[in-house]
Amino acid sequence: MELINQTAAPAQLLVMPDKDGAETLTVVWKATYSIGRERCVLADEQCELVAGDEHYGEPDASPLKLQSDFSPYNPGTAVVLLGHAYAPKGK
């Protein structure tokens, strides 16, 4: 089976067993957007898929920075906002 991704965003097919051992097919697609004053647009640079959890320091002693994109079951949509905010005119 082949995934034909015609977008700039990274995507991957995963075949994993469900809780009963039956094979399931999951499509992981991750898009990065730039937020402007008026709208969001697909960013020129896309973030790569995260294969495993990433922490700010040692896994047992620091907070989670990024969660793995490869989950056997995720019934919803994950939204992660990373960035900076600045007050107008430096105030």
Side-chain angles (χ1 to χ4, degrees), residues 41-84:
V41 294
L42 199 61
D44 291 334
E45 280 190 48
Q46 293 294 304
C47 293
E48 294 296 320
L49 295 171
V50 177
D53 291 348
E54 294 181 9
H55 292 80
Y56 284 98
E58 292 298 319
D60 293 340
S62 66
L64 188 63
K65 181 179 181 181
L66 294 171
Q67 185 177 7
S68 172
D69 291 315
F70 305 123
S71 173
Y73 179 71
N74 186 350
T77 301
V79 176
V80 177
L81 181 61
L82 301 173
H84 303 278

Side-chain angles (χ1 to χ4, degrees), residues 22-37:
E23 286 188 344
T24 62
L25 177 65
T26 301
V27 176
V28 178
W29 184 77
K30 181 178 189 174
T32 303
Y33 290 85
S34 294
I35 302 173
R37 289 182 176 266

